[in-house]
Amino acid sequence: MDEIIIIVGSNNKAKIQATSDAFHCIFNNRGVIVHSLDVASGVSQQPMGDKETLEGATTRAKSAYSEYFKINNIKPHYAVGIEGGVGASICPIFIEREEETEKDREMECFAWTVIW
């Protein structure tokens, strides 16, 4: 394999750089070429919870794969979708209480990465 073509389903520089760093590390800097396409996630602008965030990452990876093939008539070796999300969580310090209060709720941020 001379070139390993990676397509990222976003034009976000941080997502592209993270993907590039990971694949260059995995393949020992041998022939990795990272491209990006701005594709829709199919979810809200700020996904809430695991389900919606994972759906957005999956949609980005699949759409990037399809669009890259449609444009270049070449299938990428890997398509990557990265979606950041937020969700409510219970602060572990307060779990022993019988009742949860609004102050006990916190938001957590996370990301899902899908490699297609």
Side-chain angles (χ1 to χ4, degrees):
M1 192 181 315
D2 292 332
E3 292 181 343
I4 301 165
I5 299 171
I6 316 297
I7 182 68
V8 181
S10 176
N11 282 335
N12 179 298
K13 290 180 183 183
K15 293 178 181 181
I16 297 165
Q17 189 63 55
T19 300
S20 180
D21 290 350
F23 277 93
H24 277 94
C25 181
I26 291 167
F27 289 105
N28 246 356
N29 295 318
R30 285 179 269 174
V32 173
I33 299 173
V34 178
H35 300 281
S36 66
L37 284 171
D38 192 21
V39 297
S41 67
V43 297
S44 60
Q45 188 172 353
Q46 181 55 76
M48 296 292 292
D50 276 330
K51 183 178 178 185
E52 185 181 17
T53 307
L54 178 57
E55 180 183 328
T58 301
T59 299
R60 285 185 185 277
K62 289 179 177 181
S63 296
Y65 185 94
S66 298
E67 286 299 311
Y68 186 87
F69 179 69
K70 191 186 303 182
I71 293 167
N72 299 288
N73 203 32
I74 297 169
K75 293 180 180 177
H77 295 93
Y78 300 95
V80 177
I82 302 172
E83 191 70 30
V86 296
S89 66
I90 298 172
C91 183
I93 296 169
F94 302 106
I95 287 178
E96 293 181 13
R97 281 200 198 150
E98 288 183 26
E99 289 185 31
E100 175 186 337
T101 67
E102 278 300 310
K103 284 175 48 177
D104 297 340
R105 300 293 285 178
E106 290 188 350
M107 297 296 285
E108 60 184 6
C109 55
F110 53 87
W112 276 98
T113 301
V114 172
I115 302 171
W116 187 257

